[in-house]
Amino acid sequence: MVGRRKQPKIASKRRKFQNNTGDESKDDRISALPSCVLLEILSRLPTIKDAIRTGALSNRWKHLWTLVPILIFKGRVPNVSGSDFVSFVDKTLIQCRQSKLTKFEVESRDIRRFASQVNNWIRYAISCNVEELKLELWKPVHEAGFPLDQLFFSASSFTHLRLEGCMFNPTGAISWKNLRSLSISYGKLDEDLIENILSGSPVLETLVLDYCEDYRRLNITSKSLKNLVFSGYIDYLDPLNVGSIEINAPHISSLTIKCCLSLWKPLLVNVSSLVEANLYYTLYDHYETSTLDEAEEEMLKGLMLNLCRVKELTFNFGDECSKTFSRLKDKGFTIPSNAKFH
């Protein structure tokens, strides 16, 4: 009689494996790290929603996200309504326990009707002495920007501001004593308002104006401001209303002119301290072909003559601009020796 084959001890091996797994979970090396290290890990996640999800890992992680010094909220996602996004931000901020914020970001659309709640978020960030604030509040071109609370214009903790789709409506003098970088997109800024911003930002180093409108002159006399980015200019209410922009900035060392311009030309009144200039723009195509060619030639020629003594002059254009250079050469114009092309 043939004896039965001895069966492997599968059950005992499975128990041993389960026990080992349990031992490893108890010896969770990541959770054993200091709280400051874990907060740094959470701060590097794309949004605060991702940080909240880590609460399911263990009891150690459950409430750790409430102390994260970086809060990033993104509402520009499919199938998320404005009201759902606002509700999520409200509930999140109620649970937060940090006393200091290094960064606070909100990206959303269709949020103007929730102005009261959004300004409450901004007040919360200011109460935590937020350093870097980013508001990207998308809006249709012809609608007014998001109305900012007056407290916003006197927050001394700001060091970096990036604002899109916001309305600049200060009732008094702006006071951003520690602001070093300011980027404004799709804002209405007249010359008086720009002067208010610059005089109230005594240590500002970088200014980015991205498709802003309602101004025709940039008078920048601040000695601290070194980097100016002029990114796009179109009068959306009257795109055929072309003209020129005067730039008087005797102390800047870096100038960038880029994107689409509805202008005949930018006039560089005084950029005597300029070390580098980067040009990669296109003209808004509402001219007749012959007029557009002339406008491109005049703008390029004027810029090159004004920037011929700059140490680094870089052009980064497409085929149309290459054709413009070719036409200028054919007409006998000498390209400055400091110009580089990419």
Side-chain angles (χ1 to χ4, degrees):
M1 181 176 179
V2 179
R4 293 184 178 180
R5 297 179 62 183
K6 191 175 183 180
Q7 297 296 320
K9 297 181 179 180
I10 296 176
S12 62
K13 288 185 177 181
R14 184 182 292 116
R15 285 194 296 271
K16 185 177 181 181
F17 174 77
Q18 290 172 343
N19 289 336
N20 287 341
T21 303
D23 293 339
E24 289 176 2
S25 65
K26 292 177 182 178
D27 187 24
D28 185 347
R29 295 184 178 182
I30 295 181
S31 294
L33 292 171
S35 294
C36 60
V37 177
L38 298 181
L39 287 174
E40 179 65 24
I41 293 172
L42 294 180
S43 297
R44 294 175 181 271
L45 294 177
T47 68
I48 188 60
K49 182 174 285 188
D50 299 302
I52 292 172
R53 291 192 181 109
T54 65
L57 295 176
S58 69
N59 287 333
R60 176 77 194 281
W61 293 84
K62 189 172 183 179
H63 300 293
L64 197 61
W65 67 267
T66 63
L67 298 171
V68 173
I70 295 178
L71 296 179
I72 300 175
F73 299 94
K74 293 189 177 182
R76 293 184 184 181
V77 293
N79 303 319
V80 175
S81 68
S83 57
D84 287 343
F85 175 69
V86 169
S87 176
F88 169 72
V89 178
D90 282 342
K91 290 177 181 177
T92 301
L93 294 184
I94 288 174
Q95 298 177 72
C96 285
R97 296 181 294 148
Q98 67 278 87
S99 59
K100 170 67 180 175
L101 280 175
T102 55
K103 182 187 294 186
F104 185 84
E105 296 184 11
V106 176
E107 296 180 20
S108 186
R109 65 178 71 219
D110 189 29
I111 206 169
R112 182 181 169 84
R113 57 199 172 103
F114 302 104
S116 176
Q117 291 97 318
V118 176
N119 274 310
N120 281 337
W121 306 344
I122 296 172
R123 291 189 199 102
Y124 174 82
I126 292 174
S127 72
C128 293
N129 294 310
V130 64
E131 296 176 10
E132 184 175 347
L133 180 67
K134 177 181 175 182
L135 300 175
E136 291 191 2
L137 308 178
W138 183 89
K139 69 178 184 65
V141 168
H142 299 296
E143 288 189 7
F146 179 85
L148 294 166
D149 189 273
Q150 292 302 310
L151 179 65
F152 176 87
F153 298 104
S154 59
S156 60
S157 63
F158 294 153
T159 59
H160 297 79
L161 282 177
R162 183 174 175 180
L163 309 170
E164 177 182 328
C166 296
M167 181 190 300
F168 278 72
N169 56 341
T171 56
I174 290 174
S175 181
W176 292 329
K177 297 179 181 179
N178 294 297
L179 189 65
R180 297 197 301 273
S181 175
L182 173 63
S183 175
I184 305 173
S185 299
Y186 303 99
K188 289 182 177 291
L189 307 171
D190 60 28
E191 285 86 351
D192 291 337
L193 182 51
I194 293 173
E195 173 59 28
N196 191 355
I197 291 171
L198 295 175
S199 61
S201 309
V203 297
L204 188 65
E205 299 171 356
T206 298
L207 175 63
V208 179
L209 298 178
D210 178 39
Y211 285 100
C212 294
E213 54 182 315
D214 281 3
Y215 65 94
R216 291 294 185 183
R217 179 179 175 86
L218 287 175
N219 189 38
I220 302 172
T221 57
S222 167
K223 293 184 178 180
S224 67
L225 201 148
K226 301 300 181 184
N227 308 301
L228 174 63
V229 179
F230 180 68
S231 175
Y233 187 95
I234 295 177
D235 185 341
Y236 291 99
L237 296 179
D238 187 8
L240 297 179
N241 180 23
V242 297
S244 62
I245 293 287
E246 293 185 359
I247 299 177
N248 178 49
H251 302 294
I252 65 170
S253 58
S254 175
L255 171 66
T256 298
I257 299 176
K258 64 178 183 177
C259 296
C260 187
L261 306 177
S262 177
L263 297 168
W264 282 111
K265 56 185 175 181
L267 297 177
L268 304 181
V269 178
N270 185 352
V271 287
S272 54
S273 299
L274 210 57
V275 176
E276 64 172 338
N278 301 285
L279 308 177
Y280 42 107
Y281 64 86
T282 57
L283 293 187
Y284 185 55
D285 191 6
H286 55 62
Y287 307 93
E288 297 292 337
T289 302
S290 59
T291 307
L292 178 61
D293 289 347
E294 293 172 4
E296 289 176 339
E297 291 171 16
E298 286 301 311
M299 181 175 286
L300 271 177
K301 188 162 59 175
L303 287 171
M304 285 190 287
L305 290 173
N306 278 282
L307 300 172
C308 62
R309 296 185 180 181
V310 172
K311 184 177 179 181
E312 298 179 22
L313 176 58
T314 304
F315 292 89
N316 192 340
F317 295 123
D319 293 339
E320 290 302 317
C321 195
S322 298
K323 294 176 183 177
T324 305
F325 276 111
S326 297
R327 292 197 303 269
L328 287 175
K329 284 183 179 180
D330 293 341
K331 293 178 180 180
F333 182 78
T334 302
I335 305 299
S337 58
N338 64 333
K340 297 179 181 179
F341 303 93
H342 296 287

